[in-house]
Amino acid sequence: MPSATLLSELRSQTLVCCDTLDAEVAKRLGPFEDCTSNQAIAYSELQHHRHEALLKESITLADELLEQFESMTLEQLAVEIAMVKLGMQMVPHISGYIHIQVNPFYSYSTNKIMENARRIPHLFSHLSPEFDTSSLCIKIPSTWEGLQACRVLQATGTTTLATAVFTIEQAALAGEVNCQYIAPYAHELKVHIDPNYHDPNPQLHLCVAATRYYLHHALDTRVIPASLTTTKEVMLLSGADRMAISPHVLKELSETNYASKVTREPSLFTGPSSKYAHAPKRMHFENDEAKFRTAVTRSDGGENERKLVQVINILCDVQLKLEEMMKKLHGELQSKDGLV
């Protein structure tokens, strides 16, 4: 009988989600509960030559459907279609939700977020009429505007995840508006972009605090820790309801024997030294925008708001790269067809 690995041990305590749109990773290391993604993950995946046909199909379909979406450019729609197509490739390896993130440029517009969130299942249905859109979860930045969109979407049957959570106040409002999930970032997003950058203040304890907050105050929202960088961090959060893990960490978990020293520290959910041994007190922000914004701004002297803004900026930069990629390919296709 093969020795237990860290991945198999983790799966005995936590529902494991793959933080990738690489179907080969899911096939090799799955099955997984959920598939989580964002624009940076999509951009990285679409650089592979194997997706050349997918990119061309996305542009062609965007050209056909564009008149249905007057507020969008062809490039924006092609990006969304490509992300949906990548998500559909993950379906055979996922038993839970496929998570697709809204355009980060909409982070401060409740109406645009809701429009985007409703367009995504439409695109899935167009590409695959038999696809069950109830297995979609829409990832939305946890700004005030994003969380207000979550409130309306959840009330009308769309499952949401509030992403880029860096404060307990964001977690509290996400619970008030009935988000299905939140994704607290253990590290600021920059650590995944700049290999020379070290996050001086990882927030693993926030994942524990948010979990205890929801359980203690009888809120249905659940926590999916994200932006984890090492197997040690993953095992410290074992016992979380779900966990989003990147391919390189999944690979290391699958190759590391459970008897290794990395497993000897107790989980933060059960260890005696947990910073949040008791649940944070109940907070109310749903009807007080100023109170929420001020609380987020003041969290850790402004550091946590900076991290949220950083996520939005990085993903906006990647969104522009995706659109430029689509624009370039569209021009090449038109030239090939003699249309320009």
Side-chain angles (χ1 to χ4, degrees), residues 261-327:
K261 63 180 181 180
V262 75
T263 65
R264 293 178 184 173
E265 292 185 59
S267 165
L268 294 177
F269 285 95
T270 58
S273 63
S274 174
K275 181 179 178 182
Y276 292 104
H278 303 288
K281 66 180 181 180
R282 184 66 190 267
M283 290 170 266
H284 298 278
F285 295 107
E286 186 176 10
N287 299 312
D288 196 333
E289 178 180 353
K291 181 181 178 182
F292 173 77
R293 290 189 184 278
T294 302
V296 172
T297 294
R298 289 182 55 76
S299 178
D300 195 20
E303 270 298 288
N304 290 325
E305 184 174 42
R306 178 191 65 79
K307 293 177 182 179
L308 170 62
V309 172
Q310 180 195 92
V311 170
I312 294 169
N313 270 313
I314 288 174
L315 293 182
C316 282
D317 288 343
V318 177
Q319 174 71 25
L320 290 176
K321 290 180 181 179
L322 284 164
E323 291 176 22
E324 183 59 32
M325 181 172 64
M326 293 298 184
K327 183 178 181 179

Side-chain angles (χ1 to χ4, degrees), residues 72-305:
M72 302 187 75
T73 66
L74 183 142
E75 293 79 17
Q76 290 169 343
L77 184 55
V79 169
E80 285 189 16
I81 292 170
M83 291 179 69
V84 167
K85 281 179 167 287
L86 289 174
M88 290 186 68
Q89 293 181 0
M90 302 295 290
V91 170
H93 315 292
I94 304 300
S95 58
Y97 289 102
I98 301 291
H99 298 249
I100 303 292
Q101 187 153 334
V102 298
N103 188 324
F105 277 95
Y106 303 159
S107 297
Y108 298 105
S109 171
T110 298
N111 289 336
K112 286 186 176 181
I113 288 171
M114 291 193 296
E115 182 181 324
N116 195 171
R118 290 165 176 156
R119 186 167 55 246
I120 290 169
H122 174 83
L123 293 173
F124 268 92
S125 294
H126 183 89
L127 289 165
S128 179
E130 69 276 10
F131 178 77
D132 181 7
T133 55
S134 68
S135 63
L136 284 177
C137 182
I138 309 302
K139 290 181 65 177
I140 296 172
S142 52
T143 59
W144 169 263
E145 294 82 359
L147 292 168
Q148 296 310 305
C150 290
R151 175 179 58 80
V152 176
L153 291 165
Q154 284 287 156
T156 53
T158 297
T159 302
T160 65
L161 176 149
T163 190
V165 171
F166 292 101
T167 71
I168 194 64
E169 291 82 7
Q170 289 169 290
L173 181 53
E176 281 188 278
V177 301
N178 297 313
C179 290
Q180 184 81 9
Y181 301 111
I182 66 166
Y185 276 29
H187 292 276
E188 55 188 287
L189 189 56
K190 188 176 179 180
V191 301
H192 304 286
I193 306 299
D194 182 354
N196 297 315
Y197 182 74
H198 173 72
D199 185 353
N201 186 28
Q203 299 206 78
L204 275 68
H205 287 285
L206 177 60
C207 303
V208 182
T211 299
R212 292 198 169 139
Y213 181 88
Y214 294 143
L215 292 174
H216 182 76
H217 299 295
L219 297 168
D220 293 332
T221 304
R222 292 296 175 259
V223 177
I224 306 182
S227 192
L228 301 160
T229 61
T230 67
T231 57
K232 179 179 179 180
E233 290 173 351
V234 167
M235 298 313 292
L236 282 172
L237 290 175
S238 60
D241 184 69
R242 283 167 165 75
M243 199 181 306
I245 308 176
S246 63
H248 79 275
V249 177
L250 284 169
K251 182 175 183 291
E252 189 174 346
L253 288 166
S254 73
E255 295 173 348
T256 304
N257 190 286
Y258 177 55
S260 67
K261 63 180 181 180
V262 75
T263 65
R264 293 178 184 173
E265 292 185 59
S267 165
L268 294 177
F269 285 95
T270 58
S273 63
S274 174
K275 181 179 178 182
Y276 292 104
H278 303 288
K281 66 180 181 180
R282 184 66 190 267
M283 290 170 266
H284 298 278
F285 295 107
E286 186 176 10
N287 299 312
D288 196 333
E289 178 180 353
K291 181 181 178 182
F292 173 77
R293 290 189 184 278
T294 302
V296 172
T297 294
R298 289 182 55 76
S299 178
D300 195 20
E303 270 298 288
N304 290 325
E305 184 174 42

